[in-house]
Structure formats: C-alpha cells, structure tokens
Amino acid sequence: MLDQLVLPHRRTVAAAGGALVLAALGLGAPAQAASYGTPTITLSAGYLSGAVGATADPVVTVTVGQSGADVSALGVAASASSKSSVAATGDVTVTGTGATRQLRVAARARGYTDLTIKVTGLGGKTTTKSLHFAASAAVQNAADTRYLTGSSDASAAVDAGDGYVLVADDESNTLRLYDGSASGAPVRTWDVASKLGVSKEIDIEGAARVGNTVYWTGSLGNNKDGEYKADRNTVFTTTVSGSGAATQLTVGGSYKKLRDDLVAWDETNGNRYGFAAGTADGEAPKQIDGFNIEGLEFAPGSTTTAYLGFRAPLVPPKEGGKALIVPVTNFDKVAGSGAKAVIGTPIELDLGGLSIRDIRKNSADQYLIVAGSWAADDNSDPYALYSWDGIAGHAPVKRLDLPTTDPGGWEAVVAVPDLNTTGARARLITDAGSADLYGDGTEAKDLDHDEWKKSRAAWFTVNG
C-alpha cells in the first residue's frame, strides 16, 4: 500500500524534472512569430518613356529588400495607374527573383500616367514607389526602331563598333554612347564644352570618323534669330580608344575660324554662293539662301580632304536648286591643329531640290546622303536617301523616299553597308527636338525630364 502511494509522487517529480530540462534546452517552449522589417524599394529612374507597339523599350531596374526575409520571397508589381488608357497595371512586367528586378511597361496609347510600383514582403508588409511614364505614338517599322533617350535632338552619329553608336545633339555639347540594340539611356557621356573653351552650344551637326579620330563640326551658321554666336563656329576632334561598350573619348584639337575662311573664299571667287550675305547679322541660317552646314565626310580615298555638306544655301537659291558640297583639302589639320582652311573645288549635286542633312561613306567609298528640305525642322517636308560614289560630276542615285508621317526629321546615318549586297540595310536617326511626342503640345526639347526626351533610330533596306 505504501508503494502504491509513493509511485504517483515519483512520476510527478520525474515529469517536473523533465520539463525543467526541456526548458533549459529551449525545447518545448511556445514558438514566437518571426520579425520582418518594412520592405524597401528603389527605382533606377523615376521617369520612363515608351512607345505604343515598341519592342526593346527602355527598362527600369528595381531593387528590393526586407530585413529578416529572403529577397526571393518578395513580390513586385504595379498596383495602380493614374491613366489606365495609357498603361494599366497589367501592362507592367517585372522579371527576376533576386534583389534586382527589371521592369518594363507596354504602352497602350499616347500620353502620360503615374504608375504605383509595390513591393510586398513577408508579414503582409508593403512599400510603394511612383514611376512617371510617358508614351509616344506607334511608328512605322516598330520592330526595327529603337529610341535613344536622354536627348531629343540627335544631329550626328558615327559607328563605335559592336552595335554601339556615338551620337551628338545640336542643343548641347554632350557626346553620348548608346547600345544600338536596345532602347534606353546612353551608357556613357562626355561634355566637351570645358575642353573646347565654349560656354554656349556648338550646334554640332556633322561627324566623320577616320581610324581612331572622329571629326565634328558645328553648323557654322547664325542662330535661329540671325545672331552670330562664336561657339557655333567650331570644328574639333576626339580620339577614340576601345570599342563598343568600352569606347572612350578624349578631346583633341579644334578650330574656330572655318566660317570666316569659307566666307573669305567665296568673296574671293565673286560671292558665287552668297556666304557673306547668308552669315550677315539678322540672317537666319535655315533659308534657301542661308548658311548652314549639316554634313561632314571625307573624300574618296582621302584622310585629309573633307566634304562639308550644306543644308543651305541651295544652288541657285530657288526651288529645284542643287545641294552644295565644299571640300576642305586640309581638314585633318584644320580641326586637328587649327590650320587655316584650304578650300577645294565645290561640288553641286541634284538631290531633287533637297539639300544635305548628312553624308556618310564606307571603306569602299560608297556614300549615302540623307536629303531633306533646307527649311524642315520636322517631317513636314520630303526626305530621301541617295547613294553616290563621291566623285564630282557623277550623279547621285535615289535609293528611297524616307517616311515622314512619324515625329522627327531624318538627321544622321550611322554607317554605310555594302550597297551592292541585296538586302543591305542602313540605320538612320531622327532629330525629334521640335516634335510633340506625347500629345500635350510640348516640344521634346522642352520636356522637363531627360528620360522623356528621345530620338528615334530605324533600319532601312537600301538595296532591295
């Protein structure tokens, strides 16, 4: 009987002792809820541009995190749109599962919308950021079109290798390197103003590459109000090192008297082209008898003689006049070391009453000329693409009429393919500075955010 009374007591003591051991080991205690911090989200850009029907549109990098949580457990999505007719939440695509994601927006219609981008973390916690999105209208050949953002006034371009392009614009003194395979911001920029000792825009309009030297020219004309601005009378060089994404530029020589040399040459030769009158105070450059250079390329087989292609004047200065090229036979020394220009025999080309907006050649001395109106600031006038062999007295041949229904004027040709190859294609770039891209009446050059400014690059078959 005593043994029966003691046994339950022993069991109670043993149980209590086991509980103390488990407690000491931290076992058997009630589980506590995990503690998660508030999620974080940052956008690589707060402003983004797209286009209806575009492919390879610009992307925004989204970086997310949450203390106490694996980033792969975080969700990122658009939760609201201020104007779903432009882009709805379902038009936002986010790819990737780590701390860094890629966000794309497929535009529905032209206009603006503010998108709310939300990260949802563990513990039901969320954080949002706003993305301000602008969409331009659909264009022809959308699959072959890319948008170069950060500037809307592309005016000259040269090939940098591996699909990359060096681009100048006529509203700043910044040279930009773009990946030509995708739409988006420049991968590298160079502001050349301080190196060249200029404070106002050079109005860069032409470029040509010889080996590792790129030659650049300003328009040399007055500004739109007919005022002389000395910085526009600038030609200069940059030296290229590397290629493609690794391209680097170093500013070389410059010269600021080429306009003066051209005017003096024309006066010596009887004012045949009216350069003195075209550069007179009060004379706007984009007149049929004005003075404005937009094309630059070297003569066949030469690394010293450069062709200056004129947007104005036409020769004679009337409808149906011919386009003017003036050779500078020592241009390498003019731009490279500031030598006085030596002018060669001028060339007049029949481009169907159009003038020169750009000129480019390949290593086989096959040229392409972008032809447009002396007056056009947008696509309200005809544009055409001509081929030429670079020889005075030989007529250029029209390859195609360029489309003029979409925003921007055709301003630059990047490189010239072998024009004897069937299906050969060339890439052209627009100056869209005067275009109303988003339907609110604002010219692209005047937009408040550089991310919304853009020029358009498109491929064209030049030998079908």
Side-chain angles (χ1 to χ4, degrees):
M1 186 68 178
L2 182 61
D3 289 341
Q4 292 176 351
L5 292 172
V6 171
L7 185 58
H9 174 72
R10 289 177 176 173
R11 289 174 179 167
T12 300
V13 172
L20 290 172
V21 172
L22 290 172
L25 295 173
L27 303 174
Q32 295 182 353
S35 177
Y36 301 110
T38 301
T40 59
I41 178 171
T42 58
L43 307 179
S44 60
Y47 297 84
L48 181 67
S49 172
V52 178
T55 59
D57 248 351
V59 302
V60 168
T61 299
V62 184
T63 304
V64 295
Q66 184 182 25
S67 62
D70 188 326
V71 291
S72 64
L74 277 57
V76 180
S79 60
S81 172
S82 65
K83 194 169 185 179
S84 295
S85 60
V86 173
T89 58
D91 299 315
V92 179
T93 303
V94 180
T95 57
T97 57
T100 301
R101 321 279 176 97
Q102 298 295 310
L103 182 150
R104 292 173 171 81
V105 182
R108 290 173 177 253
R110 184 186 188 198
Y112 301 92
T113 186
D114 290 336
L115 296 163
T116 301
I117 310 302
K118 181 168 70 174
V119 55
T120 301
L122 298 183
K125 297 183 177 182
T126 64
T127 303
T128 62
K129 284 283 187 180
S130 292
L131 176 63
H132 308 286
F133 181 69
S136 55
V139 298
Q140 299 180 61
N141 306 318
D144 282 333
T145 297
R146 298 292 182 267
Y147 293 91
L148 312 179
T149 67
S151 166
S152 58
D153 298 85
S155 56
V158 294
D159 187 15
D162 300 328
Y164 285 75
V165 185
L166 285 166
V167 180
D169 81 79
D170 56 21
E171 292 290 323
S172 76
N173 298 320
T174 299
L175 306 177
R176 296 173 173 87
L177 177 69
Y178 288 95
D179 178 357
S181 67
S183 297
V187 298
R188 189 168 288 115
T189 63
W190 300 266
D191 187 339
V192 300
S194 62
K195 294 290 186 181
L196 294 173
V198 299
S199 58
K200 302 295 184 181
E201 68 185 48
I202 295 171
D203 192 24
I204 302 170
E205 293 287 0
R209 181 171 182 173
V210 177
N212 290 326
T213 301
V214 182
Y215 297 84
W216 309 87
T217 181
S219 68
L220 309 191
N222 292 341
N223 70 6
K224 63 182 179 180
D225 298 320
E227 299 169 335
Y228 174 67
K229 299 295 182 181
D231 290 345
R232 291 171 173 248
N233 189 5
T234 301
V235 295
F236 66 98
T237 67
T238 56
T239 300
V240 180
S241 60
S243 64
T247 297
Q248 292 286 352
L249 295 181
T250 303
V251 175
S254 66
Y255 184 58
K256 299 178 181 179
K257 292 289 185 180
L258 181 54
R259 161 172 153 154
D260 306 67
D261 295 344
L262 289 165
V263 171
W265 165 82
D266 191 44
E267 289 178 322
T268 300
N269 288 276
N271 289 308
R272 179 177 178 182
Y273 298 115
F275 287 172
T279 57
D281 186 47
E283 292 297 315
K286 296 172 185 177
Q287 302 183 89
I288 200 166
D289 58 352
F291 183 95
N292 196 79
I293 291 171
E294 294 214 352
L296 176 66
E297 185 54 278
F298 280 77
S302 179
T303 59
T304 61
T305 297
Y307 288 161
L308 301 178
F310 282 73
R311 176 172 176 167
L314 284 182
V315 184
K318 63 181 183 180
E319 295 300 324
K322 293 182 178 180
L324 176 64
I325 289 175
V326 174
V328 176
T329 62
N330 63 334
F331 194 80
D332 59 325
K333 292 182 175 61
V334 170
S337 56
K340 181 181 176 64
V342 178
I343 312 299
T345 303
I347 301 169
E348 299 171 11
L349 299 178
D350 184 355
L351 301 179
L354 300 178
S355 59
I356 295 170
R357 304 299 286 270
D358 197 21
I359 180 169
R360 180 69 63 246
K361 73 166 185 169
N362 60 20
S363 60
D365 291 330
Q366 298 172 325
Y367 290 73
L368 285 177
I369 299 173
V370 179
S373 168
W374 50 268
D377 281 324
D378 52 30
N379 273 7
S380 61
D381 288 279
Y383 286 81
L385 192 64
Y386 283 80
S387 61
W388 184 45
D389 62 6
I391 299 175
H394 290 194
V397 176
K398 183 190 281 190
R399 291 279 174 158
L400 69 150
D401 291 308
L402 295 169
T404 58
T405 56
D406 299 320
W410 300 107
E411 193 78 1
V413 55
V414 177
V416 179
D418 183 351
L419 299 179
N420 295 321
T421 300
T422 301
R425 302 200 309 165
R427 173 171 283 188
L428 275 63
I429 301 177
T430 64
D431 179 340
S434 299
D436 175 10
L437 294 177
Y438 305 115
D440 63 345
T442 303
E443 290 189 352
K445 69 177 69 176
D446 296 326
L447 290 165
D448 291 334
H449 307 287
D450 287 347
E451 295 90 344
W452 287 351
K453 298 176 182 180
K454 59 186 179 182
S455 296
R456 180 165 47 96
W459 288 97
F460 292 94
T461 300
V462 294
N463 187 4

